[in-house]
Amino acid sequence: MTKVAWGFTCSLDGFITGPDHDMSWLAAAEEIDGGDTEQLARAVGAILSGRRGYDAAIAQAGERDELISEAFGGAWSGIEFVLTHRPEELADDPRVIAPGTDGPGIVPLNCDIREAIRRGKDAAAGKDLQIISADLARQALAHDLVDELQVFVAPVFLGDGTRIFDVPGGLRYDWELVGPIAGAQRSIGRTYRPKYRVG
């Protein structure tokens, strides 16, 4: 059964990107052992990402190495849905494929988070739908649509950037530890499931 997993590597001070969506700091992250990255990638049938991350990847294409330019360091291949209010602006990207195509490639979506997750789960075909956007994950959490949290920690402070979870005025979610992620002991890899929302 397809589950919706929100996965990310964060800094010690709680950011998942640096200023201007910079990802170069990921070079400081500890490597996952052996074939465990490939095992994580094999569990993912589709990815849901946001427009800001997509635009940053395009803008920084010449600066990003394989580790940070491709999902799972290039170990994953499949359909990536990009949620955007302006899907027509992605038309010139040669990676864009028609909706319903098996992929791999990018499918722009202009819909709400519930519809995006429904389409992503259909495309995942029994594997996981992986969210790689803090904003989209926050929206999905508001509808209780996140089944699992996968966290890795890099030994770096960033001081600014995209926070893991940013809600003005605060909003508390409690998580239950499922266990460590194989091969990710040095990066404190952990899996959690939602426990409850307070408020």
Side-chain angles (χ1 to χ4, degrees):
M1 181 176 170
T2 298
K3 67 176 178 284
V4 178
W6 177 22
F8 56 83
T9 298
C10 64
S11 64
L12 286 168
D13 55 345
F15 295 95
I16 59 172
T17 78
D20 299 319
H21 241 82
D22 174 54
M23 300 297 290
S24 62
W25 59 275
L26 275 176
E30 300 285 354
E31 289 187 23
I32 297 175
D33 296 339
D36 292 309
T37 297
E38 289 76 12
Q39 183 174 337
L40 288 168
R42 280 194 298 273
V44 176
I47 286 176
L48 179 60
S49 63
R51 181 62 189 269
R52 281 181 292 179
Y54 170 87
D55 287 345
I58 298 292
Q60 300 169 16
E63 306 162 23
R64 294 187 177 191
D65 61 19
E66 188 176 77
L67 172 68
I68 56 177
S69 64
E70 301 290 336
F72 296 94
W76 180 83
S77 178
I79 296 175
E80 179 179 349
F81 293 94
V82 178
L83 197 54
T84 173
H85 295 300
R86 303 177 307 280
E88 68 281 355
E89 294 178 0
L90 278 62
D92 293 336
D93 189 327
R95 299 171 298 163
V96 171
I97 60 174
T101 306
D102 288 339
I106 290 173
V107 176
L109 293 180
N110 183 7
C111 57
D112 68 19
I113 190 67
R114 290 168 292 189
E115 175 65 9
I117 286 178
R118 185 195 67 76
R119 292 182 64 176
K121 288 175 77 170
D122 286 348
K127 293 186 175 183
D128 293 351
L129 171 62
Q130 183 91 36
I131 298 177
I132 58 170
S133 161
D135 182 52
L136 297 185
R138 181 187 52 76
Q139 293 178 47
L141 280 169
H143 296 285
D144 297 321
L145 294 174
V146 176
D147 302 308
E148 185 173 277
L149 183 64
Q150 300 165 352
V151 181
F152 303 87
V153 180
V156 60
F157 282 154
L158 296 177
D160 195 7
T162 304
R163 292 191 178 280
I164 295 169
F165 187 65
D166 195 4
V167 178
L171 181 60
R172 177 177 160 180
Y173 282 86
D174 285 12
W175 298 85
E176 179 181 1
L177 178 65
V178 175
I181 295 174
Q185 290 83 355
R186 289 174 57 86
S187 59
I188 320 171
R190 297 289 184 269
T191 301
Y192 299 86
R193 68 171 62 96
K195 194 172 181 183
Y196 54 82
R197 176 173 48 182
V198 179

